[in-house]
């Protein structure tokens, strides 16, 4: 699937230890880079620190080095704390700051942090998180978290940008899609992109990979 994605124009790959897919992503990257005559620097690779590895500085760094081996790379472009594990994420963030300073991660950030988590982290951090990956789609907006991150210039990234498919039959979005000659999924992704939010749609089908990436040539009304 990773090799197929690269062959169809994708250059950003999101994965995590918690998903159990790092080794497969590493293999797919090696194949996809070779098949498409790409360099590692052409790819934006994201992975995440597993909840069970959080809370101890040395454990985070050791676990991350093992993640790099599975991914068959010596750095990632974005490293995230997967969840705000209670009483552990500040110490975990200290490890990410040093991973960033050492060049093993080009950018660092968090996932699923709300305003309370973000405020607490910023009170202790030396490096402000560059990304917050949250659930965001036409059903779930998280306006307080979105406003906080925008105020602090923290880039938002949407997981489940298609709402796990639950809005694909929505009649209002279907009407907008028909107007533009696009699919409901394309309209949902375009709506999120126009708000300055990065999206990471998931699919195992090549046809939908092509559909999901064809969202840059039409504007929609956005409030």
């Amino acid at each position: 699937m990773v090799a197929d994605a690269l062959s169809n124009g994708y250059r950003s790959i999101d994965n995590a230890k918690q998903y159990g897919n790092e080794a497969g992503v590493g293999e797919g990257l090696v194949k996809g880079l070779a098949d498409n005559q790409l360099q590692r620097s052409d790819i934006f690779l994201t992975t995440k620190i597993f909840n069970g590895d959080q809370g101890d500085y040395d454990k985070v760094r050791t676990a991350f080095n093992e993640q790099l081996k599975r991914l068959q790379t010596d750095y990632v472009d974005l490293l995230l704390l997967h969840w705000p594990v209670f009483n552990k994420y500040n110490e975990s963030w200290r490890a990410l700051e040093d991973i960033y300073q050492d060049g093993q991660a080009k950018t660092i950030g968090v996932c699923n942090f709300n305003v309370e988590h973000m405020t607490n982290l910023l009170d202790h951090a030396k490096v402000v998180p560059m990304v917050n990956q949250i659930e965001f789609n036409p059903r779930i907006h998280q306006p307080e978290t979105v406003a906080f991150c925008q105020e602090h210039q923290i880039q938002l990234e949407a997981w489940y940008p298609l709402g796990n498919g639950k809005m694909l039959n929505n009649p209002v979005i279907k009407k907008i899609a028909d107007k533009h000659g696009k699919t409901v999924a394309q309209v949902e992704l375009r709506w999120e992109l126009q708000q300055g939010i990065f999206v990471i749609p998931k699919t195992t089908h090549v046809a939908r990979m092509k559909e999901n990436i064809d969202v840059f040539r039409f504007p929609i009304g956005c409030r």
Side-chain angles (χ1 to χ4, degrees):
M1 289 184 288
V2 171
D4 285 342
L6 296 181
S7 296
N8 283 284
Y10 286 84
R11 296 295 179 263
S12 177
I13 304 296
D14 178 274
N15 75 144
K17 179 178 178 179
Q18 188 165 328
Y19 306 154
N21 65 350
E22 287 176 326
V25 167
E27 293 171 8
L29 283 174
V30 170
K31 184 180 187 304
L33 293 178
D35 290 348
N36 295 282
Q37 298 182 334
L38 297 170
Q39 302 298 314
R40 168 66 183 86
S41 57
D42 295 323
I43 307 303
F44 192 92
L45 179 62
T46 300
T47 198
K48 308 173 185 75
I49 298 297
F50 177 57
N51 295 352
D53 293 330
Q54 287 197 42
D56 179 89
Y57 176 93
D58 292 331
K59 187 174 183 180
V60 171
R61 300 216 60 171
T62 299
F64 176 61
N65 285 331
E66 292 299 318
Q67 291 177 256
L68 290 178
K69 291 178 183 178
R70 288 191 291 274
L71 290 165
Q72 301 188 48
T73 185
D74 57 359
Y75 74 96
V76 295
D77 298 278
L78 175 60
L79 179 62
L80 303 170
L81 293 181
H82 207 147
W83 287 90
V85 180
F86 182 68
N87 280 344
K88 291 186 176 182
Y89 60 80
N90 283 320
E91 179 66 8
S92 302
W93 185 252
R94 187 170 72 86
L96 260 66
E97 290 176 327
D98 286 350
I99 288 170
Y100 170 65
Q101 295 296 337
D102 291 346
Q104 289 182 296
K106 302 301 182 183
T107 51
I108 54 176
V110 296
C111 299
N112 307 300
F113 275 53
N114 61 25
V115 173
E116 181 181 354
H117 301 135
M118 293 298 299
T119 301
N120 181 270
L121 184 62
L122 291 180
D123 285 343
H124 296 86
K126 293 184 294 184
V127 178
V128 175
M130 300 159 193
V131 173
N132 187 10
Q133 188 184 107
I134 62 172
E135 184 173 10
F136 185 93
N137 52 60
R139 293 178 61 246
I140 297 175
H141 298 173
Q142 302 202 54
E144 294 85 5
T145 299
V146 169
F148 183 94
C149 289
Q150 291 175 339
E151 178 185 351
H152 290 83
Q153 297 183 315
I154 298 168
Q155 177 63 50
L156 287 158
E157 186 172 46
W159 61 265
Y160 271 1
L162 300 177
N164 202 21
K166 294 180 180 179
M167 294 292 287
L168 295 179
N169 295 315
N170 181 276
V172 175
I173 304 176
K174 180 68 165 58
K175 184 177 180 179
I176 297 170
D178 290 343
K179 176 182 176 180
H180 292 279
K182 295 292 182 179
T183 67
V184 170
Q186 288 172 319
V187 167
E188 291 181 5
L189 295 173
R190 180 66 193 182
W191 172 72
E192 290 151 2
L193 289 167
Q194 285 185 196
Q195 297 182 72
I197 297 174
F198 295 167
V199 296
I200 45 172
K202 175 185 175 182
T203 182
T204 61
H205 304 286
V206 171
R208 289 178 184 162
M209 289 181 189
K210 294 178 180 179
E211 175 185 324
N212 290 343
I213 204 171
D214 185 22
V215 293
F216 299 102
R217 293 179 289 182
F218 71 102
I220 59 173
C222 183
R223 287 191 290 175

